[in-house]
């Protein structure tokens, strides 16, 4: 029996590639934080004469963060939460001074007020953290740190618009991840149908169900990118491309749901252990069209190729003509490929009416 070598040693335990990938992905966010925090500190310290504008920096860092959702609205909500916490702390500090019970009262007031103002838990936590900083670290004058917090918030919002995080690159990456996983789930189902393998079909169903998380991630990236593009003067040209990605995502969301239907019917069809090469080959051709849609995320010239490839498959999707015995299981499985073909055609830019017309009449 042939053997294969297995790599052992420290290289198998220490892999720097994931860390380097995180650095590349977070680079724009890191740049935003550095620019905004430096500008906020410089303005508060050198222009306004604040000796240690700590909150100008912390508000900036906390509001921007390194999360994928960099929508201006999210940044503004975080800024408002922190300003609320600072204001409450400053009021209590003026009225009651400092001490352990004043800190407890400040935290309670900040958390309760923030929870009243916003359903987001992060809003309340941001308010509580900043209020605690105000109570623990003394200042020379009242409300000085409120000014620093406002400066930090303004710096974060300006940097969001003026130093954007290359949203189109993030959107394209998330779309490619989804379509790669879509292709993987389709391949597993194709193999199951070719072999009549129920276990493999169940695995394909699991993979199809897992696609929803990737759809949601792509949706968040698109919402964030489109919101930034609306306010950034440097991303005006990307608005049309982001809109095209949104159209692709909308129809691929429907395609993912239909793939789950196909996966469930494949599991049922594989109960008898019979291979179904016709359905397998058709699904494989649809998956090939989806790969062209993935290529079109970077290059729109692939969209016509995807449409023609998918149209060629759609024109053969006549369940009655494709099944020799007209069995219910085979007919329903092949019928499930029809809406998937329509969704992929519309994702590739074909009008919905034309996509439906590409199917044979039944």
């Amino acid at each position: 029996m042939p053997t294969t070598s297995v790599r052992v040693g420290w290289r198998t335990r220490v892999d720097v590639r994931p860390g380097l990938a995180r650095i590349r992905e977070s680079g724009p966010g890191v740049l935003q934080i550095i620019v905004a925090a430096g500008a906020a500190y410089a303005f508060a310290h050198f222009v306004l004469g604040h000796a240690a504008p700590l909150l100008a920096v912390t508000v900036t860092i906390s509001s921007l963060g390194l999360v994928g959702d960099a929508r201006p609205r999210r940044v503004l909500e975080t800024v408002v939460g922190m300003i609320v916490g600072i204001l409450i702390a400053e009021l209590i500090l003026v009225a009651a001074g400092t001490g352990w019970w004043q800190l407890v009262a400040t935290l309670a007031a900040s958390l309760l007020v923030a929870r009243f103002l916003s359903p987001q838990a992060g809003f309340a936590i941001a308010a509580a953290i900043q209020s605690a900083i105000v109570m623990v670290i003394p200042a020379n004058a009242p409300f000085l740190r409120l000014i620093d917090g406002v400066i930090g918030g303004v710096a974060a919002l300006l940097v969001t618009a003026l130093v954007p995080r290359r949203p189109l690159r993030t959107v394209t990456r998330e779309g490619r991840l989804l379509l790669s996983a879509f292709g993987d789930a389709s391949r597993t189902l194709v193999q199951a149908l070719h072999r009549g393998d129920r276990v493999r079909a169940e695995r394909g169903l699991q993979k199809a169900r897992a696609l929803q998380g990737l759809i949601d991630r792509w949706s968040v990236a698109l919402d964030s990118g489109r919101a930034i593009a609306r306010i950034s003067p440097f991303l005006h040209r990307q608005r049309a491309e982001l809109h095209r990605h949104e159209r692709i995502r909308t129809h691929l969301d429907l395609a993912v749901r239909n793939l789950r239907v196909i996966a469930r019917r494949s599991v049922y069809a594989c109960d008898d252990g019979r291979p179904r090469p016709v359905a397998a080959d058709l699904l494989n051709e649809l998956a090939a069209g989806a790969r062209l849609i993935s290529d079109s995320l970077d290059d729109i010239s692939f969209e016509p190729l995807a449409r023609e490839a998918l149209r060629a498959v759609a024109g053969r999707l006549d369940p009655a003509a494709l099944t020799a015995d007209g069995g219910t299981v085979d007919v329903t499985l092949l019928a499930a490929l029809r809406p998937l073909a329509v969704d992929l055609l519309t994702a590739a830019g074909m009008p919905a009416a034309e996509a439906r017309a590409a199917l044979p009449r039944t």
Side-chain angles (χ1 to χ4, degrees):
M1 178 182 294
T3 59
T4 57
S5 60
V6 178
R7 294 179 61 186
V8 295
W10 66 270
R11 288 184 179 85
T12 63
R13 296 189 296 269
V14 180
D15 189 356
V16 301
R17 288 174 296 181
L20 293 175
R22 287 192 296 272
I23 290 175
R24 285 194 300 271
E25 293 174 6
S26 301
V30 170
L31 177 62
Q32 276 189 335
I33 291 173
I34 292 171
V35 171
Y41 180 91
F43 184 83
H45 182 68
F46 295 110
V47 177
L48 299 184
H50 297 181
L54 173 64
L55 291 183
V57 177
T58 59
V59 168
T60 302
I61 295 172
S62 299
S63 58
L64 289 172
L66 292 176
V67 296
D69 184 5
R71 283 175 292 183
R73 180 176 178 178
R74 186 200 63 80
V75 175
L76 178 61
E77 287 177 350
T78 307
V79 168
V80 171
M82 289 184 285
I83 296 300
V84 166
I86 295 170
L87 177 60
I88 290 173
E90 290 281 17
L91 291 173
I92 293 177
L93 194 61
V94 170
T98 61
W100 71 268
W101 71 265
Q102 291 93 333
L103 173 63
V104 171
T106 299
L107 290 175
S110 299
L111 288 167
L112 293 173
V113 170
R115 289 304 286 163
F116 174 80
L117 294 175
S118 172
Q120 302 298 326
F123 184 92
I125 296 301
I129 291 174
Q130 301 304 318
S131 67
I133 292 175
V134 171
M135 295 302 294
V136 171
I137 300 177
N140 296 327
F143 300 104
L144 194 66
R145 286 162 298 190
L146 180 64
I147 298 173
D148 289 341
V150 172
I151 291 171
V154 171
L157 290 168
L158 287 175
V159 166
T160 300
L162 301 178
V163 190
R165 295 189 182 186
R166 299 178 295 183
L168 186 57
R169 176 178 296 186
T170 302
V171 166
T172 302
R173 184 183 69 244
E174 295 297 340
R176 281 191 168 277
L177 286 173
L178 168 68
L179 281 159
S180 175
F182 183 96
D184 184 39
S186 299
R187 281 191 299 272
T188 303
L189 293 171
V190 168
Q191 293 168 359
L193 291 169
H194 267 303
R195 302 173 187 179
D197 186 343
R198 179 186 171 92
V199 174
R200 192 172 292 271
E202 289 176 343
R203 192 176 307 149
L205 176 58
Q206 291 174 352
K207 291 180 178 180
R209 286 172 173 165
L211 294 175
Q212 190 58 48
L214 295 174
I215 281 283
D216 295 339
R217 282 179 49 177
W218 195 8
S219 181
V220 168
L222 271 164
D223 288 345
S224 178
R226 294 173 73 186
I228 295 171
R230 279 194 293 268
I231 67 169
S232 174
F234 305 109
L235 298 179
H236 180 78
R237 294 180 180 178
Q238 294 187 9
R239 294 178 190 175
E241 189 64 9
L242 289 167
H243 182 73
R244 183 175 74 89
H245 278 248
E246 174 61 23
R247 181 254 295 165
I248 296 173
R249 187 210 63 81
T250 298
H251 294 292
L252 281 176
D253 189 1
L254 299 174
V256 165
R257 299 180 192 186
N258 281 314
L259 185 65
R260 289 198 290 267
V261 173
I262 293 167
R264 287 193 292 270
R265 293 185 181 180
S266 297
V267 172
Y268 180 71
C270 288
D271 265 342
D272 58 13
R274 286 176 46 218
R276 286 174 168 80
V278 174
D281 291 342
L282 289 168
L283 178 57
N284 191 46
E285 291 183 54
L286 290 174
R291 287 194 294 273
L292 290 172
I293 294 175
S294 179
D295 293 335
S296 76
L297 294 177
D298 284 312
D299 186 351
I300 194 174
S301 67
F302 281 94
E303 279 198 356
L305 299 176
R307 289 195 293 270
E308 291 309 310
L310 291 164
R311 190 202 298 267
V313 187
R316 307 200 313 271
L317 290 177
D318 185 350
L322 290 169
T323 53
D325 57 1
T328 304
V329 173
D330 295 296
V331 169
T332 56
L333 176 58
L334 290 167
L337 297 176
R338 290 168 62 90
L340 176 62
V342 171
D343 293 334
L344 291 176
L345 280 167
T346 51
M350 183 178 288
E354 186 178 344
R356 289 191 294 269
L359 296 171
R361 291 187 178 181
T362 57

